[in-house]
Amino acid sequence: MTTIAGERVGAARVARGPLRRFRWGVSDTLTVVQRNLLAYLRIPEALFFSSVQPIMFVLLFRYVFGGAIHVPGVSYVNYLIPGIFVQTVAFGAVSTSIGLAEDLQKGLIERFRALPMARSAVLTGRTVADLARNVVVVLIITAVGYAVGFRIQTNVAAFVAGLLLLLLFAYALSWGFAVIGLSAPNSETAQVMSFPVLFPLTFASSAFVPVASMPSWLRGFAEHQPVSVVVDAARALMLGGPTASYVWQSVAWSVGIVVVLAPLAVRRYRRA
Amino acid sequence: MTDAVIEARGVSKSFGTTRALEGVDLVVERGTVLGLLGPNGAGKTTLVRILTTLLAPDAGTARVAGHDVVREAPRVRAAIGLAGQFAAVDDLLTGRENLELVGLLYHLPKAERKRRAGEVLERLGLTDAGDRLARTYSGGMRRRLDLGASLVGRPSVLILDEPTTGLDPATRVDLWGFIEDLVASGMTLLLTTQYLEEADRLANRIVVIDHGRTIAEGTASELKDQLGGDLLEVTVADPAALDRAVELVAGLAHGSPTVDRVKRLVSAPATGKAAAVVAAASRFQAEGIDLEEISLRRPSLDDVFLALTGHGAEDVAAGSGERTASAGGAPARRARRAS
């Protein structure tokens, strides 16, 4: 018998040429997105409680701490909501690390890596699914924000631009948390590993209180770190004031984070 | 003419200072089953990961289904099916959805995906459970679904890494049945296992590896023949007589005896069939040593493994230097793979 082992490759096709590779990359990503979003529908409790948490934050800062915080020139609820948006989507990005750590732990990543699918699809599929989830969360916060007195001070277009800006930032953060998720031994550890990064970024920022109220040693960090930049940009777009510089800075941060951390995540994935 | 579907030459891999594989050669011919046998940490999984393109070797080459695992990795992935040590199953999808997901990632058209998912469920006896979430499945069902996922792409080569580790004995026998059916349909199979019984039952040829090296290769009966004949086993009633028993057995056998002091068991390779038992029994009687049991049996792969590596297949897993498992001992008692 002289058949060359490999003729049966016909059983599964191999991507030939850059165009087909790109098409498969997109279709594999959508497949993974669909699979990840389906998981949210299968445990509605998780979806419910992940939206409850940001609502609690809104209520906590609006009604518990809000009375004690005075921001000159603006009502606290208007000051707060853009900050809550950014804090919430940043927290949401942790789900990227938890989801990947879980897939890794269960051996699913191993399975995916041995399939003739696009290598990037597991990561892009995960980050895009988490972005979709963040879109839903942002809509919920918008509604809750309106219910507790938040009002757009500019116009709807600028408000939407602000949302897009902070969703872009969340998407970028997802790649960072992907690195954590792929480095963690299990999903619980991925979660606790994420918080030491997340807490200083979200709380030592302009999200909840003006940076000017912080001690000087903290102020330098708080003023220039990416969460503050994005919050300031979103605030400017939603409430008014000079926007250009903040907007460009936050786009630069988001792009920069992806450029640096996405290759790192891909490398981790390949070695997972 | 040889028709190697899997061919590894001098494959080496180190992790830091740990040398997981040191120049392993391996050939699996079309339509045959090769059992890769070794204790935990022998390098079995590392070799599987290299053959399935999940890991690049430091040295050596490997071809699977005619393609180099490093340079032509996508082609290898398209030709193989892999079921790893974990049941890599998405708990939040149904059995059928799990299989259709894999079909989607093989870029199969929708009708074909559905057809194959149905076929695989049928083949593995999961049709009734197909529309239930996988998290409701038992351990055996999950393994079957995992095996099923590796079949969706209609691979010509199937690689199973410890497919039955952690399963109860009855479920293991079930799974063996499914694997035997696959082999009967002409599939080429590489199977790693730490269960000698499993290799004995499923594999045409066996490669034994330990500490990253191949230490023996052949059919089960060739490996057993290496021990040189049958095994004479004597269990003495009184532990005090054990040393004398060793001397007696040494005189009767043609190899050096091994002793299990806990079981008061002395065994050694012997020729002469039944006559050897008679001769041994009369010598012990003449010395006045009471025997609980005396027997002559064909060596098991356990014995082969012990002779080759100096330790039993499960001892390493159990973390004990003492030989603990008897030949063909209850698999349930065997140590589970340390994760």
Side-chain angles (χ1 to χ4, degrees):
Chain A
M1 193 166 142
T2 53
T3 25
I4 304 157
E7 271 180 11
R8 286 211 51 210
V9 164
R13 292 171 301 164
V14 174
R16 253 184 269 226
L19 187 67
R20 172 168 269 185
R21 257 210 297 281
F22 177 75
R23 274 205 352 242
W24 281 9
V26 172
S27 82
D28 290 349
T29 298
L30 292 177
T31 302
V32 178
V33 169
Q34 198 189 341
R35 174 238 164 195
N36 290 341
L37 291 180
L38 209 52
Y40 285 119
L41 298 182
R42 294 283 155 85
I43 10 177
E45 302 91 324
L47 192 62
F48 175 76
F49 285 106
S50 71
S51 9
V52 164
Q53 193 192 329
I55 295 172
M56 304 279 269
F57 265 99
V58 173
L59 300 178
L60 178 74
F61 277 90
R62 172 73 176 88
Y63 296 113
V64 180
F65 299 144
I69 304 170
H70 295 284
V71 185
V74 56
S75 78
Y76 185 65
V77 65
N78 281 346
Y79 182 87
L80 172 69
I81 295 301
I84 287 277
F85 274 129
V86 179
Q87 177 256 332
T88 304
V89 296
F91 272 47
V94 176
S95 60
T96 305
S97 80
I98 296 171
L100 284 173
E102 223 158 63
D103 286 350
L104 196 61
Q105 196 180 353
K106 286 185 179 161
L108 280 162
I109 299 248
E110 188 108 335
R111 155 136 288 142
F112 290 141
R113 287 182 61 221
L115 287 176
M117 63 184 284
R119 309 234 82 184
S120 53
V122 171
L123 293 179
T124 50
R126 168 63 62 182
T127 51
V128 170
D130 290 333
L131 177 65
R133 184 181 153 282
N134 260 336
V135 169
V136 173
V137 170
V138 159
L139 294 177
I140 293 172
I141 307 257
T142 305
V144 175
Y146 255 78
V148 299
F150 168 76
R151 294 294 177 267
I152 299 169
Q153 302 297 306
T154 52
N155 55 62
V156 174
F159 176 73
V160 171
L163 292 186
L164 292 178
L165 202 65
L166 59 92
L167 286 170
L168 171 71
F169 177 64
Y171 184 74
L173 279 186
S174 269
W175 285 97
F177 287 110
V179 177
I180 294 179
L182 292 170
S183 316
N186 55 49
S187 54
E188 292 80 13
T189 313
Q191 186 163 13
V192 297
M193 279 167 76
S194 299
F195 281 110
V197 181
L198 209 52
F199 266 78
L201 277 177
T202 49
F203 290 102
S205 77
S206 59
F208 302 103
V209 294
V211 170
S213 66
M214 296 177 192
S216 59
W217 56 267
L218 189 56
R219 213 177 299 151
F221 167 77
E223 242 165 43
H224 300 290
Q225 56 111 331
V227 170
S228 293
V229 171
V230 176
V231 168
D232 292 345
R235 213 167 257 150
L237 284 164
M238 295 172 186
L239 307 179
T243 51
S245 154
Y246 289 136
V247 170
W248 287 122
Q249 275 187 64
S250 60
V251 170
W253 267 108
S254 298
V255 172
I257 290 171
V258 173
V259 167
V260 174
L261 294 179
L264 213 64
V266 171
R267 230 179 59 172
R268 279 268 163 205
Y269 175 76
R270 290 205 167 142
R271 291 175 180 188
Chain B
M1 182 172 171
T2 58
D3 191 14
V5 174
I6 299 178
E7 196 174 3
R9 293 272 169 250
V11 170
S12 298
K13 181 75 192 177
S14 297
F15 299 103
T17 54
T18 311
R19 306 193 61 173
L21 291 175
E22 299 189 58
V24 170
D25 297 328
L26 189 89
V27 172
V28 188
E29 311 251 323
R30 179 178 301 281
T32 66
V33 182
L34 183 103
L36 185 62
L37 188 64
N40 276 329
K44 299 189 297 289
T45 296
T46 304
L47 187 56
V48 163
R49 289 172 58 87
I50 287 171
L51 293 175
T52 53
T53 77
L54 297 175
L55 200 64
D58 295 338
T61 59
R63 296 178 75 78
V64 175
H67 304 290
D68 187 281
V69 295
V70 177
R71 283 179 292 111
E72 301 169 291
R75 286 182 164 275
V76 172
R77 283 180 215 127
I80 61 168
L82 165 70
Q85 285 185 15
F86 301 95
V89 163
D90 191 331
D91 286 325
L92 298 174
L93 299 180
T94 66
R96 192 182 302 278
E97 284 168 343
N98 263 289
L99 299 174
E100 286 178 11
L101 172 70
V102 172
L104 232 135
L105 295 171
Y106 271 108
H107 312 106
L108 300 171
K110 187 169 182 177
E112 184 66 15
R113 290 199 299 269
K114 291 199 174 299
R115 205 163 59 79
R116 289 198 193 179
E119 261 174 36
V120 167
L121 288 172
E122 178 81 47
R123 193 169 190 177
L124 294 172
L126 289 169
T127 305
D128 291 342
D131 295 312
R132 267 166 45 198
L133 289 188
R135 69 170 160 191
T136 67
Y137 284 18
S138 68
M141 289 164 79
R142 292 170 64 85
R143 284 298 177 98
R144 253 141 72 197
L145 182 59
D146 187 45
L147 179 61
S150 70
L151 299 175
V152 170
R154 298 234 173 109
S156 56
V157 188
L158 194 59
I159 297 180
L160 305 179
D161 191 11
E162 301 197 6
T164 66
T165 298
L167 293 182
D168 62 77
T171 312
R172 169 170 305 149
V173 172
D174 280 351
L175 203 65
W176 285 349
F178 289 116
I179 294 171
E180 277 169 339
D181 288 347
L182 292 174
V183 174
S185 70
M187 200 168 281
T188 306
L189 184 67
L190 172 68
L191 167 93
T192 78
T193 182
Q194 47 176 319
Y195 302 123
L196 305 155
E197 207 182 342
E198 186 163 286
D200 215 353
R201 169 153 173 189
L202 296 175
N204 304 108
R205 289 181 66 74
I206 293 169
V207 167
V208 183
I209 68 169
D210 195 22
H211 299 298
R213 290 176 189 278
T214 306
I215 55 172
E217 191 173 353
T219 63
S221 79
E222 279 168 6
L223 291 176
K224 290 171 184 175
D225 286 345
Q226 286 188 359
L227 278 190
D230 296 331
L231 273 181
L232 175 66
E233 291 192 329
V234 171
T235 308
V236 295
D238 179 7
L242 204 55
D243 291 329
R244 180 64 189 142
V246 172
E247 288 170 29
L248 286 178
V249 171
L252 290 157
H254 72 271
S256 52
T258 54
V259 191
D260 185 328
R261 291 192 177 273
V262 178
K263 291 181 180 162
R264 307 184 306 279
L265 173 79
V266 183
S267 59
T271 50
K273 304 287 172 192
V277 182
V278 175
S282 52
R283 281 301 305 275
F284 276 93
Q285 200 171 22
E287 297 258 343
I289 299 173
D290 279 344
L291 293 182
E292 222 161 58
E293 206 179 318
I294 180 163
S295 67
L296 188 74
R297 62 172 177 84
R298 183 112 176 90
S300 68
L301 278 176
D302 261 314
D303 303 311
V304 176
F305 204 88
L306 179 66
L308 286 169
T309 62
H311 53 76
E314 298 84 20
D315 293 350
V316 176
S320 148
E322 202 91 14
R323 187 181 173 206
T324 50
S326 64
R333 282 192 297 115
R334 292 183 169 170
R336 291 178 59 146
R337 173 183 51 81
S339 59

